[in-house]
Amino acid sequence: MVGKRIIAICQSGGEFESNAEGLLSYRGGDAHAMEIDDKMKFKDFKLEVAEMFSCNLGTLAIKYFLPGNKKTLISISNDKDLKSMLKFHNDSDTAEIYVMTEEIAAPDVSQMLGSRSSRTTLSEADVPVDASPSLVENIVGDVNKPDILLGADFDVVGDTNHDEAQTVVPSEMPISSEMPISGDLPLPVSFTASFDEKHTKAAQQWQNNITGVGQRFNSVHEFREALRKYAIAHQFSFKYKKNDSHRVTVKCKAEGCQWRIHASRLSTTLLICIKKMNPTHTCEGSVLATGYQATRSWVASIIKEKLKVFPNYKPKDIVNDIKQEYGVQLNYFQAWRGKEIAKEQLQGSYKEAYSQLPLFCEKIMETNPGSLATFTTKEDSSFHRLFVSFHSCLYGFEQGCRPLLFLDSIFLKSKYQGSLLAATAADGDGGFFPVAFAIVDMESDDNWHWFLQQLKTALPMCRGLTIVADREKGLRESIAEIFQNEDVYHAYCLRYLSEQLLRDLNGQYSHEVKKLMVEDLRSAAHASMPEGFQRHVESIKSISVEAYNWVMQSEPVHWANAFFQGARYNHMTSDFGEQFYSWVSDAHELPITRMVDAIRNRIMELIYSRHTQSLEWLTPTLTPSMDERIRLTPSMEERLEQESLKIRTPPQVLILASNRFEFRGDTVETVDVENCDCSCRGWRLTGLPCFHAIAVIGCLNRELRDYCSRYFTIDSYRITYSQSVNPITSIDDTWQKDTSELAVTVTPPPTRRPPGRPTTKQVSAQDVGRRQLQCSRCKGTGHNKSTCKEFLLEC
């Protein structure tokens, strides 16, 4: 979000009102407007707001609601919070800001019997007798800061028969009561009241979650959640005495405190009713016994709405926000686990998604006739692999794209890991076009073989097809076996070939030497004639005979332009569909059915946007009377124009036969107009006339675009994107019902994501083969001079 500006409607002096559903509304007060952008600093923003309402800068609190959520107020206390607020309101022109003052005030102890915030006053506090007035002033001045819990201890209480650990965070710090008080300090002042007042404003909506005997709840889970929020709002911790599916008995954790509650199921119903409750706390606020109750599910309920707006909400930010809003101190794992639960609540269950696969595949083929969606399981019914190819993709490839496919894969960092295998194509304008993909438990020879079998089923007419792929991972054998009776060519990916060369050289060459050999290898691959190929491999031989032998044994017929028999239109690597893999990276954490649907949605948007864009294309170089079908796409028109500029001087064109001509310029080339070929082989390699052919066609006064590949025309491009992808029926309760009636059961694969935070940085193709650690003594790789074995042997 660069340059985003919004109008902040700042309101102050009013009060919040809550309706029956817990939604908050602001009534009364004054309002002012100001413009803010992503360059504004928080301190400048706060200063301007303070001047606007003539508020004390030290007691000012600024809050706002997330879009669509009127239940929870979010604080703005630093630059990051301010930028987050702007990001949340990226789709809006205005944002409502609420300005409040937080003052240290003497609470009415008589009105706070159920709350811990009135238990420890400064007159009872434990401050050294000889404390200076400045020390007292610092203590009172800092009581609103969330980091005041100096020397606090933490305790974890395990729920009996309940699998969620509860975090107890102390809310009070003992201060000596023997200190003489002087000056203008207000007395009595509740130390925890001032601390908790700031952090419990967000929890005030929960103060009446528990009302007393007779209150009913729909389930035990609902009662537990209400009790936890009630404890947070009133700032005490509790422990379970009984906790099962039909009864719950809870008491205050403080030793000797009389507060307790008992709820059990009403007979013949599933309702839980509070049968007994003593609402009065008699404890005096023990550091170990008092605190807050927080579980993973509670964290999930707090962050769910924000996570919906901000999917990249980080656990460390969750820890900070909950500490700031509720005074609850979480550790990183609790925040991470809470986020995982919230994501599952928003996105659906991973386990249920696998069980929905049989019906999901049926729905794909039902809503998109002509599509292919199939899956397999292992002997234990666990997921093995899923293949998906939509009819619009198959039709677009067969009717409008070059007969050229790129095979590649990407690792999935989802809960159950796995890999995604994909086949992509190139459209008439040089953009990628998705054809088919598969989600498998791992990338293996067997899974690639199965993927190619399904691809052959989906594309029965594949004569003249060129497949650009790695020669490893069983692909060489699988392509040869599955397409053995077809006119199909396997072009080795030059990127993988270069990486394999570097690995097989055994680290005996320096980085610079390896770089030279890789450059020669790529030049040899691009050379259109055998002479050029031989010249570049001889350059490799002059550096290393071993590398030369490796190159000559790597089957140049599968990767060198000079010998390759198929048509790959000068595409040398298989990573053509990088944008498709970025889609997968964005959706890899979703359950499998939602991941596939997210990819389907991206394909649907791609087809619609490119088809709409093509309707606006015009080619000024064509006359109005020219046939629409021979107009080229913009990128191909540009390439054709650039090729024409290579004709510097008027060449000499001689007729050799009816359709064969000789071009005489800087070089002498033979052009066969009828067969679209030139002795330089540039026309055949690219599908566009080389400048030798352009000169000949110009001399014949013929239309140049008649001699370009039909796959580069606007007409073919529009055919590629002519079929839309239809939405799949929504995954709802009816799916659950239908799934239970299916004979095939699919369970999650046994692989699970390893512990620890997964990496989020995707390694690009350019990063592969990055420079290794190199020794400055022996020039070897993988170590430095301090650990060089050869140097140690010499010593």
Side-chain angles (χ1 to χ4, degrees):
M1 180 190 64
V2 179
K4 173 66 178 175
R5 291 174 177 269
I6 64 173
I7 302 299
I9 302 174
C10 304
Q11 304 174 66
S12 180
E15 59 183 21
F16 287 99
E17 296 178 358
S18 177
N19 62 13
E21 298 178 354
L23 299 178
L24 298 176
S25 59
Y26 198 72
R27 295 288 184 269
D30 299 325
H32 296 276
M34 63 179 291
E35 187 178 61
I36 59 176
D37 57 23
D38 56 349
K39 299 293 190 299
M40 177 170 279
K41 298 295 184 181
F42 171 70
K43 62 179 182 179
D44 299 329
F45 174 63
K46 187 174 182 180
L47 181 61
E48 190 169 342
V49 170
E51 293 176 352
M52 185 183 295
F53 293 103
S54 300
C55 296
N56 187 336
L57 195 63
T59 60
L60 194 66
I62 306 174
K63 300 179 182 291
Y64 68 97
F65 286 116
L66 289 174
N69 177 14
K70 291 289 186 179
K71 291 186 177 181
T72 306
L73 282 167
I74 309 299
S75 292
I76 304 177
S77 58
N78 51 45
D79 290 336
K80 186 175 182 180
D81 291 343
L82 183 60
K83 289 185 181 297
S84 296
M85 188 272 291
L86 286 167
K87 184 177 293 184
F88 297 149
H89 291 82
N90 192 37
D91 297 329
S92 304
D93 294 326
T94 62
E96 294 188 356
I97 304 295
Y98 304 97
V99 181
M100 292 167 276
T101 57
E102 298 180 342
E103 299 179 354
I104 304 174
D108 187 353
V109 180
S110 62
Q111 300 298 322
M112 304 178 69
L113 293 178
S115 172
R116 284 331 226 342
S117 61
S118 61
R119 303 282 169 71
T120 310
T121 64
L122 188 60
S123 59
E124 300 171 351
D126 187 15
V127 177
V129 176
D130 57 348
S132 65
S134 61
L135 174 59
V136 179
E137 188 172 315
N138 288 336
I139 294 175
V140 177
D142 288 348
V143 293
N144 283 329
K145 294 183 180 179
D147 296 329
I148 196 66
L149 296 175
L150 302 175
D153 294 324
F154 297 89
D155 195 9
V156 176
V157 181
D159 294 357
T160 309
N161 299 324
H162 193 52
D163 60 353
E164 293 187 356
Q166 301 169 336
T167 305
V168 180
V169 183
S171 60
E172 300 168 10
M173 184 176 79
I175 307 174
S176 174
S177 60
E178 300 177 359
M179 173 187 145
I181 304 298
S182 62
D184 296 329
L185 295 176
L187 294 177
V189 176
S190 169
F191 184 83
T192 58
S194 56
F195 170 76
D196 296 328
E197 183 181 355
K198 177 176 180 179
H199 296 297
T200 58
K201 285 190 175 182
Q204 286 179 357
Q205 56 183 311
W206 302 331
Q207 287 185 345
N208 295 322
N209 272 19
I210 303 294
T211 57
V213 175
Q215 185 179 3
R216 298 181 181 184
F217 301 86
N218 292 324
S219 64
V220 172
H221 175 74
E222 182 179 315
F223 170 70
R224 292 192 190 108
E225 289 301 309
L227 183 60
R228 290 187 186 103
K229 293 178 179 179
Y230 177 82
I232 290 172
H234 291 280
Q235 304 166 39
F236 70 94
S237 58
F238 60 81
K239 60 183 178 180
Y240 290 98
K241 299 296 290 182
K242 296 178 181 178
N243 185 25
D244 52 44
S245 60
H246 63 279
R247 60 179 180 177
V248 178
T249 303
V250 175
K251 62 171 291 185
C252 177
K253 195 185 175 205
E255 189 68 30
C257 182
Q258 297 301 309
W259 186 96
R260 62 189 61 235
I261 189 171
H262 173 76
S264 61
R265 183 182 298 172
L266 292 175
S267 59
T268 70
T269 72
L270 296 177
L271 297 177
I272 297 295
C273 180
I274 298 178
K275 302 293 184 62
K276 297 179 182 179
M277 180 178 179
N278 183 351
T280 305
H281 285 276
T282 58
C283 54
E284 291 301 326
S286 165
V287 170
L288 291 176
T290 38
Y292 301 115
Q293 305 282 141
T295 64
R296 298 170 299 182
S297 60
W298 176 81
V299 174
S301 67
I302 293 299
I303 68 171
K304 186 163 65 173
E305 292 301 321
K306 189 171 182 179
L307 190 64
K308 187 187 301 183
V309 179
F310 190 32
N312 295 323
Y313 197 13
K314 296 181 180 179
K316 64 178 182 180
D317 294 329
I318 295 173
V319 171
N320 294 335
D321 290 348
I322 289 184
K323 174 69 177 296
Q324 186 175 21
E325 294 295 327
Y326 301 96
V328 178
Q329 180 67 58
L330 305 176
N331 58 41
Y332 182 92
F333 177 77
Q334 289 168 313
W336 178 85
R337 184 58 183 151
K339 179 183 176 181
E340 291 294 302
I341 294 175
K343 282 167 53 180
E344 187 165 306
Q345 292 172 356
L346 292 171
Q347 302 166 356
S349 167
Y350 283 90
K351 185 176 180 181
E352 290 177 358
Y354 284 105
S355 67
Q356 294 167 351
L357 276 181
L359 186 59
F360 185 69
C361 290
E362 290 180 13
K363 293 293 183 182
I364 289 176
M365 294 186 287
E366 178 184 312
T367 55
N368 293 269
S371 302
L372 178 60
T374 184
F375 71 96
T376 64
T377 60
K378 296 181 179 179
E379 293 181 358
D380 59 356
S381 296
S382 63
F383 171 77
H384 192 190
R385 46 205 177 193
L386 167 70
F387 178 91
V388 177
S389 184
F390 295 100
H391 167 71
S392 59
C393 299
L394 297 173
Y395 179 86
F397 173 70
E398 291 180 312
Q399 302 299 321
C401 291
R402 289 161 267 182
L404 177 67
L405 283 177
F406 305 89
L407 303 186
D408 212 341
S409 64
I410 184 175
F411 178 72
L412 299 176
K413 294 176 284 189
S414 63
K415 183 175 182 179
Y416 292 99
Q417 298 189 325
S419 294
L420 184 137
L421 317 179
T424 56
D427 65 24
D429 198 42
F432 92 100
F433 183 74
V435 178
F437 63 92
I439 298 173
V440 297
D441 58 345
M442 66 176 67
E443 185 178 9
S444 63
D445 297 357
D446 179 56
N447 282 336
W448 270 116
H449 189 274
W450 180 83
F451 176 78
L452 290 171
Q453 285 179 325
Q454 306 310 311
L455 189 63
K456 173 74 180 301
T457 302
L459 297 170
M461 302 299 293
C462 52
R463 285 194 171 274
L465 179 66
T466 295
I467 299 176
V468 183
D470 189 7
R471 67 171 183 164
E472 303 297 330
K473 306 169 186 174
L475 283 168
R476 177 171 50 183
E477 295 78 8
S478 295
I479 292 174
E481 176 185 340
I482 294 172
F483 299 99
Q484 59 181 339
N485 297 322
E486 306 288 342
D487 188 17
V488 174
Y489 303 94
H490 181 189
Y492 294 163
C493 173
L494 187 57
R495 176 170 65 92
Y496 286 122
L497 198 69
S498 302
E499 293 171 4
Q500 186 65 44
L501 171 63
L502 295 179
R503 286 194 296 268
D504 291 349
L505 290 180
N506 300 323
Q508 55 184 308
Y509 301 99
S510 68
H511 172 74
E512 289 75 13
V513 171
K514 287 183 178 180
K515 184 178 179 181
L516 288 174
M517 287 191 287
V518 168
E519 289 176 354
D520 284 331
L521 176 67
R522 291 174 178 170
S523 298
H526 283 90
S528 59
M529 304 299 291
E531 296 82 4
F533 171 84
Q534 192 61 38
R535 184 170 61 254
H536 291 294
V537 296
E538 286 294 334
S539 177
I540 296 176
K541 186 176 183 180
S542 65
I543 299 174
S544 168
V545 175
E546 179 189 1
Y548 170 81
N549 293 334
W550 187 98
V551 170
M552 300 306 294
Q553 294 170 10
S554 63
E555 301 172 290
V557 69
H558 285 285
W559 55 268
N561 280 339
F563 310 109
F564 187 67
Q565 298 299 308
R568 60 179 175 184
Y569 298 87
N570 227 20
H571 285 284
M572 310 300 288
T573 61
S574 62
D575 57 349
F576 182 73
E578 286 289 346
Q579 185 178 348
F580 178 77
Y581 299 111
S582 70
W583 292 353
V584 178
S585 297
D586 293 340
H588 71 88
E589 289 192 351
L590 295 173
I592 185 168
T593 52
R594 294 189 181 273
M595 183 197 304
V596 173
D597 195 50
I599 295 173
R600 178 207 60 80
N601 189 61
R602 288 296 193 101
I603 295 175
M604 179 181 68
E605 292 174 352
L606 179 78
I607 290 176
Y608 174 78
S609 63
R610 289 187 175 176
H611 177 73
T612 303
Q613 183 185 32
S614 70
L615 298 178
E616 302 174 356
W617 284 347
L618 295 175
T619 311
T621 57
L622 298 181
T623 61
S625 60
M626 191 167 292
D627 192 343
E628 172 83 12
R629 291 174 298 176
I630 66 171
R631 292 186 177 182
L632 302 185
T633 60
S635 66
M636 296 305 163
E637 283 285 349
E638 183 179 351
R639 287 174 57 182
L640 195 62
E641 183 179 351
Q642 291 175 350
E643 189 69 21
S644 301
L645 296 176
K646 294 180 182 179
I647 307 175
R648 297 191 179 95
T649 58
Q652 184 179 6
V653 176
L654 304 178
I655 301 176
L656 300 180
S658 59
N659 285 300
R660 296 180 69 245
F661 302 86
E662 183 176 283
F663 171 94
R664 291 188 175 183
D666 294 340
T667 60
V668 178
E669 305 291 347
T670 302
V671 178
D672 187 341
V673 176
E674 183 177 0
N675 295 314
C676 297
D677 195 13
C678 177
S679 57
C680 74
R681 300 194 78 236
W683 195 350
R684 184 177 294 276
L685 289 175
T686 63
L688 291 174
C690 60
F691 72 92
H692 313 116
I694 292 173
V696 171
I697 295 170
C699 291
L700 296 175
N701 200 26
R702 297 179 185 179
E703 173 50 49
L704 180 60
R705 290 159 190 81
D706 285 333
Y707 295 91
C708 298
S709 172
R710 71 174 183 87
Y711 300 114
F712 299 153
T713 64
I714 293 178
D715 187 56
S716 291
Y717 186 90
R718 289 173 180 168
I719 291 174
T720 302
Y721 295 101
S722 61
Q723 303 291 311
S724 61
V725 180
N726 299 321
I728 305 171
T729 307
S730 299
I731 302 175
D732 52 22
D733 295 335
T734 58
W735 280 54
Q736 303 296 333
K737 181 179 179 181
D738 294 340
T739 302
S740 62
E741 299 173 357
L742 292 173
V744 180
T745 301
V746 184
T747 60
T751 55
R752 292 290 298 272
R753 182 168 57 196
R757 191 185 317 174
T759 58
T760 56
K761 181 180 179 182
Q762 183 178 359
V763 180
S764 63
Q766 294 87 339
D767 291 334
V768 179
R770 183 180 290 176
R771 181 175 180 176
Q772 297 178 343
L773 185 67
Q774 184 180 15
C775 177
S776 60
R777 296 184 186 275
C778 70
K779 307 303 180 183
T781 59
H783 65 277
N784 56 26
K785 65 179 182 180
S786 62
T787 57
C788 181
K789 293 182 179 179
E790 293 185 12
F791 175 74
L792 294 175
L793 290 174
E794 292 176 1
C795 296

